[in-house]
Amino acid sequence: MTVSSAPGKVYLFGEHAVVYGEPAVPCAIERRATVTVEAREDDHIRVEAQDLSLDGFTVEYADGTDHRPDVDVPAGLVDAAVGYVDAAVEQAREAAGAPSAGFDITVESEIPLGAGLGSSAAVVVAGIDAATRELGEPLDRTELADRAYRAEYDVQEGQASRADTFCSTMGGAVRVEGDDCRRIDAPNLPFVVGFDGGAGDTGELVAGVRQLRDEYDFAADTVENIGDIVRAGESRLAAADPSADPDEELLAELGRLMDFDHGLLEALGVSSRTLDNMVWAAREAGAHGAKLTGAGGGGCIVALDETPETSTALRYTAECHDVFRAELDREGVRAEGATDGAASDKRGTGGEVT
Ligand code: PMV
Protein backbone atom coordinates (compact mmCIF):
# COMPACT_ATOMS: atom_id res chain seq x y z
CA MET A 1 0.00 0.00 0.00
CA THR A 2 1.39 3.39 -0.99
CA VAL A 3 0.09 6.79 0.07
CA SER A 4 0.86 10.20 -1.46
CA SER A 5 -0.61 13.62 -0.90
CA ALA A 6 -0.47 16.80 -2.94
CA PRO A 7 -1.65 20.34 -2.22
CA GLY A 8 -4.35 22.48 -3.77
CA LYS A 9 -3.64 26.04 -4.82
CA VAL A 10 -4.98 29.54 -5.15
CA TYR A 11 -4.25 31.84 -8.04
CA LEU A 12 -2.57 34.99 -6.77
CA PHE A 13 -2.89 36.26 -10.35
CA GLY A 14 -3.43 35.17 -13.92
CA GLU A 15 -6.11 32.47 -14.32
CA HIS A 16 -7.78 32.35 -17.73
CA ALA A 17 -5.15 34.64 -19.30
CA VAL A 18 -2.63 31.80 -18.77
CA VAL A 19 -4.59 29.74 -21.30
CA TYR A 20 -3.54 32.28 -24.00
CA GLY A 21 0.16 32.36 -23.12
CA GLU A 22 0.15 35.12 -20.51
CA PRO A 23 1.99 34.36 -17.25
CA ALA A 24 0.16 33.28 -14.08
CA VAL A 25 1.23 32.93 -10.45
CA PRO A 26 -0.54 30.14 -8.56
CA CYS A 27 0.47 29.39 -4.96
CA ALA A 28 0.17 25.95 -3.33
CA ILE A 29 -1.78 25.93 -0.06
CA GLU A 30 -1.80 23.54 2.89
CA ARG A 31 -5.03 21.78 1.90
CA ARG A 32 -4.35 18.38 0.46
CA ALA A 33 -5.71 15.47 -1.49
CA THR A 34 -4.42 12.14 -0.23
CA VAL A 35 -4.46 9.09 -2.48
CA THR A 36 -3.89 5.55 -1.23
CA VAL A 37 -3.04 2.93 -3.85
CA GLU A 38 -2.80 -0.82 -3.50
CA ALA A 39 -1.90 -3.05 -6.44
CA ARG A 40 -4.42 -5.79 -7.29
CA GLU A 41 -4.00 -9.26 -8.77
CA ASP A 42 -6.38 -8.45 -11.65
CA ASP A 43 -6.63 -5.42 -13.96
CA HIS A 44 -9.64 -3.85 -12.22
CA ILE A 45 -9.72 -0.38 -10.74
CA ARG A 46 -11.70 0.18 -7.57
CA VAL A 47 -12.09 3.80 -6.53
CA GLU A 48 -13.33 4.89 -3.16
CA ALA A 49 -13.80 8.62 -2.79
CA GLN A 50 -14.29 9.74 0.78
CA ASP A 51 -14.61 13.45 0.45
CA LEU A 52 -14.74 15.17 -2.90
CA SER A 53 -17.60 17.48 -2.01
CA LEU A 54 -19.61 14.29 -2.40
CA ASP A 55 -21.14 12.12 0.25
CA GLY A 56 -18.62 9.44 -0.60
CA PHE A 57 -18.91 6.61 -3.07
CA THR A 58 -17.19 3.46 -4.25
CA VAL A 59 -16.99 2.33 -7.84
CA GLU A 60 -15.25 -0.69 -9.38
CA TYR A 61 -14.66 -1.20 -13.06
CA ALA A 62 -12.46 -2.76 -15.70
CA ASP A 63 -12.06 -1.63 -19.31
CA GLY A 64 -15.40 -1.30 -21.03
CA THR A 65 -17.56 -1.53 -17.93
CA ASP A 66 -19.69 1.23 -16.50
CA HIS A 67 -18.14 3.65 -14.02
CA ARG A 68 -21.40 4.49 -12.35
CA PRO A 69 -21.52 3.88 -8.59
CA ASP A 70 -24.72 2.55 -7.06
CA VAL A 71 -25.22 5.49 -4.72
CA ASP A 72 -27.18 8.63 -5.31
CA VAL A 73 -24.57 11.31 -6.04
CA PRO A 74 -24.58 13.76 -8.96
CA ALA A 75 -23.38 11.91 -12.07
CA GLY A 76 -21.36 14.89 -13.35
CA LEU A 77 -19.26 15.10 -10.23
CA VAL A 78 -18.73 11.34 -10.09
CA ASP A 79 -17.70 11.24 -13.75
CA ALA A 80 -15.31 14.10 -13.14
CA ALA A 81 -13.79 12.51 -10.05
CA VAL A 82 -13.47 9.07 -11.62
CA GLY A 83 -12.25 10.60 -14.90
CA TYR A 84 -9.27 12.20 -13.16
CA VAL A 85 -8.41 9.04 -11.24
CA ASP A 86 -8.69 7.06 -14.47
CA ALA A 87 -6.37 9.44 -16.31
CA ALA A 88 -3.87 9.24 -13.43
CA VAL A 89 -3.96 5.43 -13.59
CA GLU A 90 -3.31 5.54 -17.36
CA GLN A 91 -0.27 7.78 -16.87
CA ALA A 92 1.08 5.59 -14.06
CA ARG A 93 0.61 2.40 -16.10
CA GLU A 94 2.41 3.95 -19.05
CA ALA A 95 5.25 5.40 -16.94
CA ALA A 96 5.81 2.06 -15.19
CA GLY A 97 5.42 -0.03 -18.36
CA ALA A 98 2.58 -1.97 -16.71
CA PRO A 99 -0.41 -1.49 -19.05
CA SER A 100 -2.75 -3.83 -17.20
CA ALA A 101 -1.89 -3.05 -13.59
CA GLY A 102 -5.02 -2.96 -11.40
CA PHE A 103 -5.42 -0.94 -8.23
CA ASP A 104 -7.60 -0.30 -5.22
CA ILE A 105 -7.59 3.46 -4.85
CA THR A 106 -8.88 5.62 -2.03
CA VAL A 107 -9.12 9.38 -2.44
CA GLU A 108 -9.53 11.65 0.56
CA SER A 109 -9.56 15.34 -0.14
CA GLU A 110 -9.67 18.49 1.96
CA ILE A 111 -10.13 20.49 -1.23
CA PRO A 112 -13.64 21.18 -2.52
CA LEU A 113 -14.18 19.86 -6.04
CA GLY A 114 -14.36 22.31 -8.94
CA ALA A 115 -14.10 25.33 -6.66
CA GLY A 116 -10.92 26.91 -8.04
CA LEU A 117 -8.53 25.32 -5.55
CA GLY A 118 -7.00 22.77 -7.90
CA SER A 119 -8.67 19.69 -6.43
CA SER A 120 -8.40 17.66 -9.63
CA ALA A 121 -4.71 18.52 -10.09
CA ALA A 122 -3.96 17.48 -6.51
CA VAL A 123 -5.77 14.14 -6.99
CA VAL A 124 -3.99 13.49 -10.28
CA VAL A 125 -0.52 14.40 -8.92
CA ALA A 126 -0.93 12.35 -5.73
CA GLY A 127 -2.53 9.49 -7.70
CA ILE A 128 0.26 9.19 -10.27
CA ASP A 129 2.89 9.51 -7.54
CA ALA A 130 1.33 6.81 -5.35
CA ALA A 131 0.60 4.42 -8.25
CA THR A 132 4.09 4.66 -9.77
CA ARG A 133 5.72 4.18 -6.37
CA GLU A 134 3.39 1.23 -5.70
CA LEU A 135 4.66 -0.31 -8.96
CA GLY A 136 8.27 0.32 -7.90
CA GLU A 137 8.84 3.01 -10.54
CA PRO A 138 8.92 6.37 -8.74
CA LEU A 139 9.00 9.45 -10.97
CA ASP A 140 11.05 12.59 -10.46
CA ARG A 141 9.01 15.73 -9.96
CA THR A 142 9.56 17.07 -13.43
CA GLU A 143 8.16 13.94 -15.07
CA LEU A 144 5.39 13.72 -12.49
CA ALA A 145 4.28 17.31 -13.22
CA ASP A 146 4.37 16.62 -16.94
CA ARG A 147 2.35 13.41 -16.70
CA ALA A 148 -0.18 15.04 -14.37
CA TYR A 149 -0.59 17.84 -16.92
CA ARG A 150 -1.20 15.30 -19.69
CA ALA A 151 -3.82 13.56 -17.54
CA GLU A 152 -5.67 16.85 -16.91
CA TYR A 153 -5.32 17.83 -20.55
CA ASP A 154 -6.99 14.57 -21.63
CA VAL A 155 -9.86 14.81 -19.15
CA GLN A 156 -10.46 18.51 -19.90
CA GLU A 157 -10.21 17.94 -23.65
CA GLY A 158 -7.33 20.31 -24.12
CA GLN A 159 -8.71 23.09 -21.89
CA ALA A 160 -5.89 22.96 -19.34
CA SER A 161 -2.73 24.90 -18.64
CA ARG A 162 0.25 23.48 -16.77
CA ALA A 163 -0.38 25.82 -13.84
CA ASP A 164 -2.37 23.62 -11.44
CA THR A 165 -0.47 20.40 -11.89
CA PHE A 166 2.98 22.05 -11.79
CA CYS A 167 2.05 24.02 -8.66
CA SER A 168 0.63 20.98 -6.89
CA THR A 169 3.73 18.91 -7.70
CA MET A 170 6.37 21.48 -6.79
CA GLY A 171 4.64 23.42 -4.01
CA GLY A 172 5.30 27.06 -3.13
CA ALA A 173 4.61 29.95 -5.49
CA VAL A 174 5.18 29.17 -9.14
CA ARG A 175 5.21 31.08 -12.39
CA VAL A 176 3.72 29.52 -15.48
CA GLU A 177 3.92 30.94 -18.98
CA GLY A 178 3.02 28.46 -21.71
CA ASP A 179 5.31 25.46 -21.26
CA ASP A 180 7.78 27.44 -19.17
CA CYS A 181 7.10 26.59 -15.51
CA ARG A 182 9.30 27.52 -12.56
CA ARG A 183 9.19 28.06 -8.83
CA ILE A 184 9.55 31.63 -7.64
CA ASP A 185 10.47 33.01 -4.24
CA ALA A 186 7.60 34.39 -2.24
CA PRO A 187 7.01 35.26 1.39
CA ASN A 188 4.23 33.48 3.27
CA LEU A 189 1.24 35.55 2.19
CA PRO A 190 -1.77 35.78 4.55
CA PHE A 191 -4.37 34.09 2.33
CA VAL A 192 -7.98 33.92 3.42
CA VAL A 193 -10.22 31.69 1.29
CA GLY A 194 -14.00 32.04 1.09
CA PHE A 195 -16.03 29.22 -0.48
CA ASP A 196 -19.63 29.67 -1.66
CA GLY A 197 -20.34 25.92 -1.55
CA GLY A 198 -20.68 25.74 -5.33
CA ALA A 199 -18.56 24.82 -8.31
CA GLY A 200 -17.86 26.22 -11.76
CA ASP A 201 -17.48 24.21 -14.96
CA THR A 202 -13.88 24.93 -15.97
CA GLY A 203 -14.27 23.69 -19.55
CA GLU A 204 -17.37 25.79 -20.14
CA LEU A 205 -15.88 28.91 -18.56
CA VAL A 206 -12.65 28.61 -20.55
CA ALA A 207 -14.66 28.09 -23.73
CA GLY A 208 -16.76 31.18 -22.88
CA VAL A 209 -13.68 33.39 -22.55
CA ARG A 210 -12.27 31.98 -25.79
CA GLN A 211 -15.46 32.88 -27.62
CA LEU A 212 -15.57 36.37 -26.14
CA ARG A 213 -11.95 36.89 -27.12
CA ASP A 214 -12.69 35.83 -30.70
CA GLU A 215 -15.69 38.09 -30.86
CA TYR A 216 -14.53 41.30 -29.15
CA ASP A 217 -11.21 43.13 -29.22
CA PHE A 218 -11.87 44.34 -25.68
CA ALA A 219 -11.72 40.74 -24.43
CA ALA A 220 -8.39 40.08 -26.17
CA ASP A 221 -7.07 43.32 -24.66
CA THR A 222 -8.41 42.31 -21.24
CA VAL A 223 -6.48 39.04 -21.40
CA GLU A 224 -3.30 41.01 -22.22
CA ASN A 225 -4.03 43.44 -19.39
CA ILE A 226 -4.24 40.53 -16.96
CA GLY A 227 -0.77 39.56 -18.20
CA ASP A 228 0.47 43.08 -17.34
CA ILE A 229 -0.97 42.75 -13.82
CA VAL A 230 0.79 39.41 -13.36
CA ARG A 231 4.13 40.88 -14.47
CA ALA A 232 3.69 43.81 -12.06
CA GLY A 233 2.86 41.41 -9.21
CA GLU A 234 5.81 39.19 -10.03
CA SER A 235 8.29 42.04 -9.88
CA ARG A 236 6.91 43.06 -6.47
CA LEU A 237 7.34 39.50 -5.23
CA ALA A 238 10.85 39.27 -6.65
CA ALA A 239 11.87 42.38 -4.68
CA ALA A 240 10.53 40.96 -1.38
CA ASP A 241 12.49 38.93 1.18
CA PRO A 242 10.95 35.43 0.96
CA SER A 243 12.05 34.48 4.46
CA ALA A 244 10.53 37.53 6.19
CA ASP A 245 6.88 38.26 6.85
CA PRO A 246 5.55 40.42 4.02
CA ASP A 247 5.46 44.12 4.90
CA GLU A 248 2.36 46.31 4.65
CA GLU A 249 3.55 48.03 1.52
CA LEU A 250 3.99 44.74 -0.35
CA LEU A 251 0.60 43.45 0.81
CA ALA A 252 -1.10 46.69 -0.17
CA GLU A 253 0.40 46.58 -3.66
CA LEU A 254 -0.34 42.87 -4.22
CA GLY A 255 -3.88 43.44 -2.93
CA ARG A 256 -4.41 46.32 -5.33
CA LEU A 257 -3.28 44.16 -8.23
CA MET A 258 -5.61 41.35 -7.08
CA ASP A 259 -8.50 43.80 -7.12
CA PHE A 260 -7.61 44.87 -10.67
CA ASP A 261 -7.34 41.24 -11.72
CA HIS A 262 -10.78 40.43 -10.30
CA GLY A 263 -12.30 43.38 -12.16
CA LEU A 264 -10.86 42.13 -15.43
CA LEU A 265 -12.05 38.56 -14.78
CA GLU A 266 -15.48 39.97 -14.12
CA ALA A 267 -15.34 41.79 -17.45
CA LEU A 268 -14.57 38.43 -19.08
CA GLY A 269 -17.79 37.07 -17.57
CA VAL A 270 -16.32 34.44 -15.25
CA SER A 271 -17.31 35.90 -11.88
CA SER A 272 -20.69 35.40 -10.22
CA ARG A 273 -22.94 37.17 -7.78
CA THR A 274 -21.79 35.00 -4.88
CA LEU A 275 -18.09 35.43 -5.73
CA ASP A 276 -18.54 39.20 -6.11
CA ASN A 277 -20.38 39.44 -2.79
CA MET A 278 -17.60 37.58 -1.00
CA VAL A 279 -14.96 39.74 -2.71
CA TRP A 280 -16.74 42.90 -1.55
CA ALA A 281 -17.26 41.55 1.98
CA ALA A 282 -13.50 40.93 2.19
CA ARG A 283 -12.61 44.37 0.83
CA GLU A 284 -15.02 46.13 3.18
CA ALA A 285 -13.53 44.18 6.10
CA GLY A 286 -10.15 45.72 5.29
CA ALA A 287 -8.50 43.00 3.19
CA HIS A 288 -5.59 44.32 1.12
CA GLY A 289 -7.32 42.88 -1.93
CA ALA A 290 -9.61 40.06 -3.02
CA LYS A 291 -10.36 38.14 -6.20
CA LEU A 292 -11.93 34.95 -7.42
CA THR A 293 -9.52 32.04 -7.80
CA GLY A 294 -9.52 29.48 -10.59
CA ALA A 295 -12.05 29.18 -13.35
CA GLY A 296 -14.79 31.13 -11.52
CA GLY A 297 -18.54 30.81 -12.05
CA GLY A 298 -18.80 29.81 -8.38
CA GLY A 299 -16.43 28.29 -5.85
CA CYS A 300 -13.75 30.27 -4.05
CA ILE A 301 -12.31 33.71 -3.60
CA VAL A 302 -8.91 34.51 -2.14
CA ALA A 303 -8.16 37.61 -0.09
CA LEU A 304 -5.03 38.93 1.60
CA ASP A 305 -5.43 39.85 5.24
CA GLU A 306 -3.09 39.18 8.16
CA THR A 307 -5.81 40.19 10.67
CA PRO A 308 -8.91 38.09 11.56
CA GLU A 309 -11.24 40.76 10.11
CA THR A 310 -11.79 39.24 6.66
CA SER A 311 -12.43 35.74 8.02
CA THR A 312 -14.98 37.15 10.46
CA ALA A 313 -16.72 39.22 7.80
CA LEU A 314 -16.90 36.25 5.42
CA ARG A 315 -18.30 34.05 8.16
CA TYR A 316 -21.20 36.51 8.43
CA THR A 317 -21.68 36.78 4.66
CA ALA A 318 -24.77 34.88 3.52
CA GLU A 319 -23.12 33.62 0.31
CA CYS A 320 -20.11 32.22 2.15
CA HIS A 321 -20.40 28.54 3.00
CA ASP A 322 -16.90 28.05 4.44
CA VAL A 323 -13.90 30.23 5.21
CA PHE A 324 -10.35 29.31 6.15
CA ARG A 325 -6.84 30.70 6.33
CA ALA A 326 -4.38 29.09 3.97
CA GLU A 327 -0.65 28.86 4.55
CA LEU A 328 1.65 28.68 1.55
CA ASP A 329 2.60 25.01 1.13
CA ARG A 330 6.27 24.90 0.16
CA GLU A 331 6.49 21.12 -0.06
CA GLY A 332 4.31 20.01 -2.97
CA VAL A 333 3.70 16.30 -3.49
CA ARG A 334 4.91 14.05 -0.68
CA ALA A 335 4.96 10.43 0.35
CA GLU A 336 2.78 9.74 3.36
CA GLY A 337 3.32 6.97 5.87
CA ALA A 338 6.43 4.92 6.47
CA THR A 339 6.02 2.36 3.69
CA ASP A 340 8.12 4.07 1.05
CA GLY A 341 9.27 7.46 2.29
CA ALA A 342 12.78 7.10 0.89
CA ALA A 343 11.52 6.92 -2.68
CA SER A 344 10.18 10.43 -2.55
CA ASP A 345 13.29 11.79 -0.86
CA LYS A 346 15.31 10.70 -3.89
CA ARG A 347 13.17 12.76 -6.24
CA GLY A 348 14.72 15.91 -7.63
CA THR A 349 13.11 19.05 -6.32
CA GLY A 350 12.77 20.19 -9.91
CA GLY A 351 11.85 23.77 -10.51
CA GLU A 352 11.76 24.17 -14.21
CA VAL A 353 10.05 22.49 -17.11
CA THR A 354 10.46 23.86 -20.56
O1 PMV B 1 -10.69 26.25 -11.40
P1 PMV B 1 -9.40 25.55 -11.62
O2 PMV B 1 -8.65 25.29 -10.34
O3 PMV B 1 -9.57 24.32 -12.47
O4 PMV B 1 -8.46 26.56 -12.45
C1 PMV B 1 -8.71 26.87 -13.80
C2 PMV B 1 -7.73 27.88 -14.27
C3 PMV B 1 -7.88 28.30 -15.74
O5 PMV B 1 -6.85 29.27 -16.01
C4 PMV B 1 -9.22 28.97 -15.98
C5 PMV B 1 -7.74 27.14 -16.70
C6 PMV B 1 -6.35 26.53 -16.72
O6 PMV B 1 -6.25 25.34 -17.02
O7 PMV B 1 -5.37 27.26 -16.49
Side-chain angles (χ1 to χ4, degrees):
M1 187 170 84
T2 309
V3 188
S4 296
S5 75
K9 59 101 217 341
V10 292
Y11 271 93
L12 187 56
F13 310 113
E15 55 273 87
H16 283 288
V18 70
V19 175
Y20 310 99
E22 298 294 341
V25 177
C27 297
I29 56 168
E30 242 315 327
R31 281 242 156 176
R32 291 185 163 254
T34 302
V35 180
T36 302
V37 173
E38 186 151 21
R40 292 171 60 115
E41 300 286 309
D42 58 22
D43 63 355
H44 289 207
I45 305 296
R46 181 174 179 277
V47 183
E48 194 179 326
Q50 304 219 326
D51 181 13
L52 285 165
S53 309
L54 305 174
D55 290 336
F57 66 85
T58 302
V59 49
E60 181 172 332
Y61 57 92
D63 277 352
T65 63
D66 199 353
H67 292 188
R68 196 99 29 228
D70 55 1
V71 291
D72 187 21
V73 290
L77 283 180
V78 172
D79 286 347
V82 175
Y84 287 109
V85 174
D86 230 6
V89 166
E90 273 319 306
Q91 288 296 329
R93 283 172 167 166
E94 190 186 292
S100 53
F103 302 102
D104 285 336
I105 298 173
T106 305
V107 179
E108 293 161 273
S109 177
E110 305 165 340
I111 313 163
L113 193 68
L117 299 183
S119 56
S120 54
V123 168
V124 167
V125 168
I128 298 175
D129 189 60
T132 48
R133 291 195 300 114
E134 175 74 2
L135 295 172
E137 298 285 342
L139 303 180
D140 66 36
R141 286 181 191 247
T142 303
E143 183 174 356
L144 179 58
D146 190 51
R147 287 197 173 272
Y149 164 65
R150 283 194 255 158
E152 273 221 326
Y153 188 91
D154 287 347
V155 181
Q156 292 170 203
E157 293 168 354
Q159 311 274 25
S161 70
R162 291 182 179 271
D164 284 24
T165 39
F166 185 80
C167 186
S168 185
T169 307
M170 302 298 175
V174 307
R175 178 192 197 275
V176 175
E177 186 172 4
D179 289 341
D180 178 19
C181 305
R182 58 193 69 213
R183 273 188 79 150
I184 58 174
D185 284 337
N188 192 13
L189 298 169
F191 294 125
V192 180
V193 176
F195 174 40
D196 69 6
D201 182 328
T202 302
E204 223 168 74
L205 289 152
V206 170
V209 172
R210 189 181 296 282
Q211 202 181 335
L212 207 62
R213 198 171 152 270
D214 289 343
E215 211 173 329
Y216 293 98
D217 288 346
F218 100 83
D221 294 344
T222 301
V223 164
E224 283 179 27
N225 291 337
I226 292 176
D228 290 342
I229 289 171
V230 181
R231 280 180 281 271
E234 263 186 87
S235 60
R236 301 302 297 218
L237 283 175
D241 177 356
S243 59
D245 279 342
D247 61 38
E248 281 288 307
E249 201 189 320
L250 173 68
L251 292 176
E253 182 57 18
L254 293 176
R256 218 155 87 94
L257 293 167
M258 288 167 76
D259 286 344
F260 296 151
D261 196 353
H262 182 76
L264 297 177
L265 290 166
E266 203 188 346
L268 292 175
V270 297
S271 191
S272 71
R273 179 86 176 246
T274 53
L275 294 173
D276 287 345
N277 284 356
M278 290 193 292
V279 160
W280 277 104
R283 288 175 184 163
E284 282 171 2
H288 296 284
K291 61 183 279 295
L292 67 83
T293 172
C300 292
I301 65 141
V302 57
L304 284 187
D305 189 357
E306 67 279 43
T307 78
E309 303 294 326
T310 296
S311 305
T312 307
L314 284 172
R315 221 162 262 130
Y316 287 101
T317 300
E319 292 78 10
C320 187
H321 169 85
D322 191 15
V323 52
F324 57 90
R325 280 202 165 280
E327 295 280 315
L328 188 65
D329 176 290
R330 297 189 190 271
E331 205 176 358
V333 66
R334 72 174 179 233
E336 299 287 350
T339 45
D340 190 16
S344 104
D345 295 340
K346 279 190 233 135
R347 277 187 297 234
T349 49
E352 209 167 307
V353 176
T354 47

